[in-house]
Amino acid sequence: MKTKLTGFLLTAALIWAGGCNQKQLKKPASTGDDKPAAAAAMSEDHVRQMAQVFAQEFAAELKRQNVTVANGGTGQTVPVVPTPPVGRAVTLNSAPDVMEFYEANPDGFTVAQPGDLPSGLEWVTGAELEEFASPEAKRGGTFMEYTSDYPRTLRFVGPDANGAFRSYMLDYNAVYLVMPHPNGDGYYPGLAKEWAYGPDGRTVFFRIDPDARYSDGKPLKVTDFFFGLYMMRSKHIQAPWYNDYFSDEKFENVTIYDEQTLSIRFYKAKPDVIEKIAGLRPVPEHFYGELDEQYVEDFQFKFEPTLGAYEVKTDNVKSGESVTLTRVPGWWADKKRFFRNRFNPDAIKVTVVREPAKVFELFLKGDLDWHGLALPEYWYEKLPDDHELVKNGHVEKIQFHNDVPRPTWAVRLNSNHPVLSNQDIRVGMNYALNFSAVIEKCFRNDYERMRTVADGYGPRSHPNLKARAFSVEKAKEQFAKAGYTELGPDGILRTPAGKRLSFVFTTPYKRLDEAGVMTVLKEEAKKAGVELQVEVMERTAAWKKISEKKHEMMLGALNTSVEMYPRFWEPYHSDNAYKEDKADRYDANGKLKLGLTPKPVTNSFTLMADHEIDGLIERYRESEDLKEITQLSHTLIQKIHDHGAYVPGWVRPWYRVGQWRWVKYPKDYNVRESREPFEFHIHWIDSDEKARTLKAMEDGKASGAASIRVFDKYKLD
Amino acid sequence: MIEDNTSTASPARPIWEVVVWVLVGLIVGFAFGGLLGGLLGGLYGQFFLTTAETGAGFINGVKQGFLYVGAAGALLGGGCCATLRFNPQTLRKLKRFYGIKRGYWSLILLAGAFSISLLGQFFVNNRALVVVHEGQTYFPALPFAASHTGLDFGILTDAEGQEYSYEVNYRELKAQFQSTGKGTVVMPLVPYSPEETRRIGDGTQHPSPPNFEARHFLGTDPIGQDIFARLFYGFRITLIFALMFTLVVYLIGVVIGCLMGYYGSWVDLLGQRAVEVWQNIPFLYMVIIAVAAISDLPFKLPAWFKILVLLIIMVLFSWTSMTYYMRTSILREKSRDYVAAAQMLGASTPRIIFNHLLPNTISTIVTFMPFTVATAIISITALDYLGFGLPSGTPSWGRMLQQGVANLHAPWIVLSAFTAMVMVLTLVTFIGEAVREAFDPKKFTTYE
């Protein structure tokens, strides 16, 4: 659920260029707890408006597809006979500070009686969905993983809690009320056994599973959801982003009906409201009691009892070296339909290895079970098809086409720059940046050219528009229009007055530079008469420069989340480009005024400000009609293409891994929405196979036929 | 000891002495002339030149001031030094150095390689030395030569069908001329420039092993850049950097050390405390801060300017250790009789320090010098390795080492960089040993 949660904001993504380490794809989350860029960019108002648009559009979409809608909800439509209230009434019995907190907000926390449950609720269970784990899975073994940084805390929230290790403890481990099915639409039951939508479309009722139990053996209590909000709103966790996200403005009310029944009311009837609501994680009240300012320190290395399959025991924390997660004995969800055959290894050992080269060597030795092969140098040279380990079948090479929105690798031109403010120059730059050469030279044609500013949004994406292909002739034609007519003795275009066509080209991704991306772009741009001064900066410094809008042009990516619509307001509306009031941005003819102040810490890296585009975006956000929205989306994509400040780069529509023979997987390898190979825990370790393979290695024999497999079930055309 | 470096020209003056003095004069003159010119030129350019771009005046000023005043300084220095003579002591030391063959030949080798690298564009370059086409002769490899497009040679489109209105690829031009007979192209020995990426074979790029036919003598790196070209230009930058670094560090360190040692008392006390404070500023953080700061400037900086800034930062944090050695040497020397004698004769303080004391502590300076050069080479390589060194794209040994370690399956990368590094450091060390041996004061002076 965190994927959606973080993706909810377009966070400045700290992602390697399809790094050698698949894990790092996830790292966008580690921009920090408070996510300054996104938080500032996404006003409350905007969220409300977007929500409305989404809700209406979603309903229309469902109608179009002839799906019956249950109370403005999603596609779960298998009605179950209404169940009478279960269990006894609940009385609150929390620590004084916690009680005080609940009492201070009587509208937010309601303790009702079992009889108060509205009648006529249609309870659903997600039973019609298919399981996605393999019945062949075997339990046992230890899955060997690594992390490049020793986790700085075992807390789930608070300072440093957003590191890469969090995914092991929480994101890929936690069980929520309901969870989105990773192979398509619908939700499968987690902590909730069944659920029902309220008539207002923004309240969801849940019956929690009476079996649910924390790793310390204590049962899940319905009041833990109250406590979850208490914690998320507490100042003591030092996590303003969470304080804001779980504020009473968004999570308006939680009502407890009986020991197993509760309802949660969200502030808007979004189409995916249940997903937002289920993001509220119950927190074991018995573990914390109440929170004080010591929380961050006291719980730095204390693992909160989990409802998930794996826990971190104190004995298994080797400071600075490794952390081992072990399977909770007699895990409550072991036999549940969507959890059986998952979380198979008995333990996951996460060793700290800082040097990427060493990580790979450890993998080749069999000390690590898998290694990402996204980078061409790994796939082709470091682990080629004729590598001993591959040839002898010890290690499998796998390429899996997933189907998720991709990070937007693109060059963004600062249209506030005196030269780049000229549209002819910007369009010229589109012709001058040779991404097909980059894809060929640096990525060996493994990647694809991104087409527009909003790819991968189904019908909302532009049907036929493509990025401008490299052309010396067209680029020079555009530059000549802007007055750069002479070719200097250095091969760079200049104006008759001697002003050279030269830009500082910033990137925070050292890895891209090492892969030659910057060099190739620079070399090719020179053919078109443009000088690019490559500036590869240390990551924090670079993002600072970019978010202060001091760059001239930058290469980078923003992470995206699974959504029905592209977002235009955040990156392309002048609200996010300039500080001045809207009325002061344009003159009477709708032309952008000069000398405006760029607005820092927004995602508008292009500083796009166009009167017409502004108007279209505003209409787009207000529109309630699917047809109109689709049309507006196409128009906007076209307009932004014409504007030229966004030069689409590349997309990588798959992930690639090398894994040892003993790591087994279902027949389709993984689920559609997986971003990393092991995030859904549907793989398993075959310990006998491991022993056989190691023996065969020792004897210098093959352990089977070479296996180099491509899974393209979810590949798009 | 008797001082005698006044130029009472004697007819038996050997030619090598003149050569050495002229060289010394050229280098020192260029270095100081260049620094002074750069500074003045920068100021002039900033305030008096009108240019189309912000900051261009400053940059141009620095560049031209550095070159012109540097050249003038070199001429002046060379001229002045041509008449100078070594004092008999130094002469004996130099002869002794000549006698230590290992050090001597190391010096010759290194100096030879360095001289060649200064003329590098005639040996390693993707621009042709000579092109003859339709009765016209071009020399594209010359510095400041204008670039010629494919259209200039009658080629309308490049291999990918793009308009050939950019600098022609002279290797392709050569191949074309060979088949059509429309002209002649003479390429340098290694026809690649260090920043040029190449397509190989099937169009994919990968590190390719040494290939003499394609004149990739040391192979290519993962993006198809020629390793020999990168090594060669990396050597030039590294060595220029190291020499300038050493020169400036010694100038500052020696002057401050001498003053502390000679004046003693509170100058010494305060000076030393100041040095201690200065030494405790963490160098790496300063580099990081400076790198961040210069990229925040409102105008563009060319790569060489960033290298200059890096040099200045490194100097700022490296001069301190030299002061200690100089201070102790001077403290020891100043109590000797010849100093007292000079004082009695009314010699001025600078004269005593620079004419009397300094030559007697020369062995300290000279002994440390090669090791400082070696340290500078290692530092710049290390900084590069960490990503705070030379700007992106500049051929550098640090980056090559890093690339090599990351691509151990292509051993020619790491082997080339490593071997080159070891060779240069070995040569420098041999020179250093010989110099120390030759200048060892115990050979010539006995103290009671």
Side-chain angles (χ1 to χ4, degrees), chain B residues 36-249:
Chain B
L36 184 76
L39 197 70
L40 294 178
L43 290 176
Y44 174 77
Q46 178 66 30
F47 296 112
F48 298 107
L49 284 183
T50 45
T51 45
E53 284 170 63
T54 340
F58 174 66
I59 300 290
N60 274 336
V62 173
K63 194 167 158 184
Q64 301 195 355
F66 183 79
L67 284 178
Y68 294 136
V69 184
L75 282 179
L76 191 75
C80 289
C81 293
T83 55
L84 290 184
R85 298 223 48 191
F86 289 114
N87 73 34
Q89 295 278 355
T90 316
L91 216 56
R92 263 162 65 196
K93 289 172 187 169
L94 288 179
K95 279 186 180 146
R96 200 177 148 66
F97 176 77
Y98 175 69
I100 305 168
K101 288 300 171 199
R102 193 167 72 177
Y104 174 72
W105 283 111
S106 296
L107 180 69
I108 296 291
L109 255 175
L110 198 63
F114 184 55
S115 312
I116 291 176
S117 80
L118 287 180
L119 301 173
Q121 52 218 25
F122 301 112
F123 300 99
V124 181
N125 199 345
N126 64 352
R127 289 180 163 183
L129 294 173
V130 186
V131 179
V132 182
H133 176 65
E134 289 180 351
Q136 282 206 305
T137 313
Y138 307 88
F139 302 98
L142 283 179
F144 309 115
S147 75
H148 300 283
T149 65
L151 300 174
D152 293 349
F153 296 108
I155 312 170
L156 298 180
T157 53
D158 67 4
E160 280 132 49
Q162 298 287 346
E163 180 191 78
Y164 219 147
S165 59
Y166 56 92
E167 179 159 29
V168 72
N169 182 328
Y170 289 99
R171 294 187 304 271
E172 285 169 12
L173 188 69
K174 185 176 180 175
Q176 187 144 358
F177 280 176
Q178 271 168 354
S179 61
T180 60
K182 277 187 184 163
T184 319
V185 177
V186 181
M187 291 301 288
L189 183 65
V190 177
Y192 302 102
S193 85
E195 286 173 39
E196 185 189 9
T197 65
R198 278 205 81 204
R199 296 160 182 237
I200 297 164
D202 57 359
T204 55
Q205 295 285 329
H206 44 74
S208 71
N211 176 351
F212 281 76
E213 206 178 325
R215 299 212 205 163
H216 284 303
F217 295 113
L218 295 175
T220 65
D221 71 4
I223 48 170
Q225 295 175 319
D226 184 68
I227 288 178
F228 185 84
R230 290 186 77 72
L231 262 190
F232 186 78
Y233 284 97
F235 170 74
R236 178 160 93 173
I237 286 181
T238 308
L239 216 63
I240 291 180
F241 191 90
L243 289 177
M244 302 230 344
F245 172 80
T246 311
L247 211 66
V248 185
V249 160

Side-chain angles (χ1 to χ4, degrees), chain A residues 390-394 661 701-707:
Chain A
V390 180
K391 237 176 16 193
N392 292 329
H394 303 315
R661 189 185 178 82
K701 286 184 198 148
S703 51
S707 165

Side-chain angles (χ1 to χ4, degrees), chain A residues 427-443:
Chain A
V427 172
M429 288 304 288
N430 275 263
Y431 288 117
L433 292 171
N434 193 348
F435 275 107
S436 53
V438 167
I439 291 170
E440 186 201 316
K441 286 188 174 186
C442 312
F443 303 136

Side-chain angles (χ1 to χ4, degrees), chain A residues 137-143 310 327 342-348 369 662 683-688:
Chain A
K138 281 188 195 171
R139 189 60 55 71
T142 299
F143 192 53
Y310 292 103
R327 204 169 195 278
R342 291 172 66 194
F343 306 95
N344 297 302
D346 285 339
I348 300 171
D369 284 338
W662 57 75
H683 59 287
W684 65 94
I685 302 281
D686 189 330
S687 299
D688 302 335

Side-chain angles (χ1 to χ4, degrees), chain A residues 52-70:
Chain A
Q52 207 171 5
V53 171
F54 284 146
Q56 281 151 355
E57 195 279 343
F58 197 90
E61 169 87 50
L62 290 171
K63 207 169 163 190
R64 194 173 58 83
Q65 295 174 1
N66 281 326
V67 178
T68 330
V69 184

